[in-house]
């Protein structure tokens, strides 16, 4: 300890020479102390400090001084003791004076977990928020200006379709059908109208070619057309028409297999329904209200799940399917419709 | 939500003054903890007439329908609703430019002598004032961090925080409080002592505001400086009329002896109770004084002479606690919550 003090004293003698032009705080304190003819011991006693600390203070010896908060306090007391205005030494609240005056902050000499303020990480937060708000505005603008027809629900289509079909042909009301393949209801009704008109032409001209569009339309349409034909029967074509009719029915399964595998679903009570065809395509799924009629085209066999089997009637190519064996109260009916119209679990 | 739209705050909810430190901005508010409440003529509705400095000017000068309240007493909440309203007003004021309702994270200081109930009350009041998250920190810890005392070292450092209502003394080391004590003596007690002294010796009645002014102008804790005098006006108790008289600094020193020695006693007890290793550190480096009480002339000298340890006054002692809380806010993000007080 005494050696250290000795060493400090030696270095102390060198310091004033180095900093003669602009005397450090330590040098000015020492000069004032000497002017007051006080010893280091006296100062140390008056300030209740260690002698080594007083010497370090005078020398600006950063290694032996504590943190700036203490050093500034020591300087203030020391200055007061030797009759210097502390404010002339170091203006308060100025860290730089303490360090430039030979009392660098120990923290700056040996950086460690500093408590100095660091810029927080949320500087980009307002920008980010602005971006999100812009994005939201853009999305809502798109939502409001997007084309409306995309979002018209199927049930609305269905209602309008049945209304159109009902008004156009009274006979069609018995089986207002919509193909699930997304055919426009207007088109289907016009198709049935076209079918009828063509049949009338057929009656007049004895031509078999117009049957082709009939096949495209639903078989029920064909049936309706047939019934109308038979009611407004012309004597000359009587022999021909049944023939062409049977042709159309016989040709249909042979050509594309659609008509034979078409499944009609009529719903009389609200029910959950799922129909899947052999390829795994889900033809119909969801909760349907009473009065819904659907025609499904797919490849047989169909596997069917009915939530309320009592309220659903199934027809395969116009033939009613007997599912009474599967109707149980509060149970879901699950069965498979085979190509011959029979069902199995 | 919208937390990023408001800055995190550190609140020094003091008996005398409330200070708010905001990230990036420093001390943004320093107002007296005073609320003026206006009661409706019919006696029913109560509304806030003024908060802060404006309300303090009304203190002792209010008509009957306005009452000025200091909602904190001895460092803890005495009037919960008023405290909540006051904080709400202050938080809103420091967020003046915000479009949205501010919901900052808040570090708030509690006296280390506060009970569980008192801590809970402070937390609830700050939450009620709109804080998103509330962290409690013990006042001397925040004061030490704010003063720049290295609290993370394995060396003891003693902090004495003299506030308006309480004085806290603590020894901190390794980010924690080793010893802490709280005495319910602070700036208010000095004022009270001055009022009592004047009444006893001059037969005059002076108000709190006058007493505080006397303390600022001529108060000192240690004899030996030049004698200062101040002219004071008060009401003569015998005549019942306003009279003016002169007080000098020695009289004030005499007047505040009792609270002064309460504080010195607390420091001495703390030194006694501190483990010897830490006590040696304190004796070597010194005691740091923070808080408004540190502005009392020669208080450091008194404690230095009484304890024999060097005593230093922190820079800007009034704002140490709030600044310390601000630094803690930062450190919560980086180091977790070593410093925070338990409820």
């Amino acid at each position: 300890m005494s050696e250290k003090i000795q060493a400090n004293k030696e270095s102390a003698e060198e310091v004033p020479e180095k900093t003669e032009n602009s005397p450090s705080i330590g040098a000015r304190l020492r000069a004032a102390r000497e002017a007051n003819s006080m010893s280091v011991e006296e100062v140390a006693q008056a300030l209740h400090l260690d002698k080594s600390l007083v010497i370090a203070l005078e020398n600006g010896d950063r290694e032996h001084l504590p943190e700036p908060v203490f050093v500034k306090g020591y300087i203030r007391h020391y200055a007061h003791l030797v009759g210097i205005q502390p404010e002339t030494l170091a203006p308060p609240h100025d860290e730089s004076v303490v360090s430039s005056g030979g009392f660098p902050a120990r923290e700056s000499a040996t950086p460690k977990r500093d408590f100095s303020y660091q810029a927080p990480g949320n500087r980009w937060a307002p920008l980010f928020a602005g971006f999100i708000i812009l994005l939201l505005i853009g999305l809502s603008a798109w939502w409001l200006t997007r084309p409306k027809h995309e979002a018209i629900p199927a049930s609305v289509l269905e209602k309008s379709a049945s209304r159109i079909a009902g008004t156009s042909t009274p006979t069609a009301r018995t089986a207002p059908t919509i193909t699930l393949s997304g055919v426009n209801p207007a088109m289907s009704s016009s198709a049935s109208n076209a079918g009828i008109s063509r049949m009338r032409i057929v009656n007049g001209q004895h031509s078999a070619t117009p049957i082709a569009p009939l096949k495209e339309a639903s078989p029920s349409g064909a049936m309706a057309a047939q019934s109308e034909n038979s009611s407004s029967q012309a004597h000359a074509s009587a022999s021909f028409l049944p023939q062409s009719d049977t042709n159309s029915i016989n040709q249909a399964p042979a050509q594309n297999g659609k008509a034979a595998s078409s499944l009609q679903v009529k719903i009389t009570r609200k029910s959950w329904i799922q129909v899947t065809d052999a390829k795994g395509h889900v033809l119909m799924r969801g909760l349907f209200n009473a009065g819904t009629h659907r025609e499904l085209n797919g490849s047989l066999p169909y596997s069917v799940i009915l939530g309320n089997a009592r309220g659903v009637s199934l027809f395969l190519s116009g033939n009613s399917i007997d599912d009474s064996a599967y109707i149980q109260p509060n149970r879901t009916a699950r069965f498979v419709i085979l190509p011959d119209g029979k069902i199995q679990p | 939500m919208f937390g990023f739209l408001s800055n995190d705050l550190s609140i020094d909810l003091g008996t005398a003054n409330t200070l708010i430190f905001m990230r990036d901005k420093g001390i943004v508010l320093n107002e007296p903890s005073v609320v003026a409440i206006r009661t409706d003529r019919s006696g029913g509705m109560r509304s806030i007439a003024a908060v802060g400095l404006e309300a303090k000017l009304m203190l002792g000068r209010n008509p009957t329908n306005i009452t000025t309240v200091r909602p904190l007493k001895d460092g803890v909440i005495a009037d919960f609703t008023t405290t909540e309203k006051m904080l709400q007003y202050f938080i809103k004021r420091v967020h003046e430019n915000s479009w949205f309702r501010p919901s900052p994270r808040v570090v708030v200081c509690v006296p280390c002598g506060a009970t569980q109930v008192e801590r809970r009350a402070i937390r609830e009041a700050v939450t009620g004032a709109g804080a998103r998250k509330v962290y409690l920190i013990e006042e001397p810890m925040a004061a030490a961090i704010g003063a720049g005392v290295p609290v993370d070292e394995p060396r003891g450092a003693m902090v004495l925080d003299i506030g308006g209502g309480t004085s806290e003394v603590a020894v901190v080391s390794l980010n924690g409080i080793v010893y802490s004590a709280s005495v319910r003596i602070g700036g208010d007690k000095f004022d009270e002592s001055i009022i009592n002294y004047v009444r006893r010796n001059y037969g005059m009645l002076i108000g709190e505001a006058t007493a505080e002014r006397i303390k600022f102008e001529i108060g000192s804790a240690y004899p030996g400086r030049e004698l200062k005098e101040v002219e004071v006006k008060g009401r003569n108790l015998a005549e019942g009329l306003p009279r003016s008289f002169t007080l000098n600094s020695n009289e004030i020193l005499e007047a505040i002896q009792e609270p002064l020695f309460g504080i010195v006693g607390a420091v001495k007890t703390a030194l006694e109770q501190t483990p010897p290793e830490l006590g040696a550190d304190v004796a070597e480096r010194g005691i740091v004084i923070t808080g408004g009480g540190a502005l009392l002339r020669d208080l450091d000298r008194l404690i230095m002479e009484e304890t024999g340890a060097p005593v230093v006054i922190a820079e800007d002692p009034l704002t140490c606690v709030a600044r310390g809380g601000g630094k803690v806010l930062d450190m919560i993000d980086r180091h977790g919550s070593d410093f925070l007080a338990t409820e």
Side-chain angles (χ1 to χ4, degrees), chain A residues 47-49 53 66-67 69-70 72-74 76-77 80 93 106-107 112-113 115 117-118 120 125 129, chain B residues 4 23-24 147-148 150-153 225 284-285 288 300 304-305 308 310-313 315-316 327 330-331:
Chain A
L47 300 184
H48 296 98
L49 285 173
L53 268 179
E67 290 69 26
V69 54
F70 295 106
K72 281 176 208 164
Y74 301 160
R76 207 175 302 134
H77 287 306
H80 192 251
H93 321 313
R106 222 180 83 184
E107 281 166 358
K112 48 186 173 183
R113 276 185 283 168
F115 293 133
Y117 184 74
Q118 281 195 358
Chain B
F4 54 83
R23 269 182 132 161
D24 286 338
V151 292
D152 56 340
E153 285 181 8
R225 288 227 186 172
E284 192 191 325
R285 292 196 297 174
V288 180
D300 48 345
M304 192 151 71
E305 297 302 333
V311 176
V312 299
I313 293 173
E315 268 178 35
D316 204 1
K327 287 180 184 172
D330 241 12
M331 289 189 283

Side-chain angles (χ1 to χ4, degrees), chain B residues 5 7 14 48 103 119 151 197 200 208 221 225 228-229 236 248 286 291 330:
Chain B
L5 294 173
N7 275 314
I48 303 286
S103 59
R119 283 167 198 232
V151 292
Y197 178 87
R200 218 170 34 238
E208 272 176 52
R225 288 227 186 172
K228 285 185 178 175
E229 287 190 341
N236 190 305
N248 68 39
D330 241 12

Side-chain angles (χ1 to χ4, degrees), chain B residues 2-147:
Chain B
F2 296 124
F4 54 83
L5 294 173
S6 49
N7 275 314
D8 293 347
L9 303 177
S10 152
I11 301 181
D12 175 10
L13 190 58
T15 316
N17 290 295
T18 297
L19 284 92
I20 299 186
F21 177 95
M22 191 187 269
R23 269 182 132 161
D24 286 338
K25 291 185 182 164
I27 301 287
V28 287
L29 183 130
N30 182 357
E31 297 251 348
S33 309
V34 184
V35 181
I37 297 169
R38 177 182 287 115
T39 314
D40 206 1
R41 292 282 176 196
S42 55
M45 292 285 287
R46 278 154 56 94
S47 60
I48 303 286
V51 181
L53 196 64
E54 211 182 321
K56 197 185 179 184
L57 292 175
M58 298 181 183
L59 204 63
R61 298 192 171 95
N62 47 320
T64 47
N65 67 325
I66 292 177
T67 43
T68 44
V69 181
R70 296 181 69 172
L72 289 122
K73 225 180 186 76
D74 298 333
V76 294
I77 292 175
D79 182 340
F80 186 85
T81 322
T82 314
T83 308
E84 199 178 271
K85 288 273 178 241
M86 184 182 78
L87 281 171
Q88 217 164 29
Y89 172 84
F90 285 153
I91 291 178
K92 209 172 165 187
R93 229 182 82 179
V94 300
H95 281 101
E96 255 172 343
N97 299 325
S98 276
W99 296 346
F100 301 97
R101 188 169 163 272
S103 59
R105 291 190 309 165
V106 175
V107 166
V108 63
C109 309
V110 289
C112 49
T115 62
Q116 215 174 3
V117 176
E118 289 163 342
R119 283 167 198 232
R120 177 68 61 87
I122 289 176
R123 181 190 286 276
E124 295 290 322
V126 180
T127 311
R132 176 164 39 114
K133 195 151 174 51
V134 181
Y135 304 99
L136 299 183
I137 184 170
E138 279 168 339
E139 250 161 50
M141 193 69 199
I145 294 169

Side-chain angles (χ1 to χ4, degrees), chain A residues 159-217:
Chain A
K159 276 180 193 165
S160 65
S162 60
R163 205 185 308 127
I164 293 164
T167 49
S168 60
T169 54
T171 47
R173 197 184 288 151
T174 55
T177 54
I178 306 158
T179 52
L180 266 189
S181 49
V183 175
N184 197 318
M187 269 179 68
S188 89
S189 66
S190 68
S192 64
N193 284 339
I196 291 157
S197 62
R198 296 235 176 144
M199 282 308 289
R200 283 188 183 137
I201 296 164
V202 165
N203 290 345
Q205 296 185 352
H206 298 269
S207 164
T209 44
I211 291 168
L214 251 180
K215 282 184 289 188
E216 292 298 318

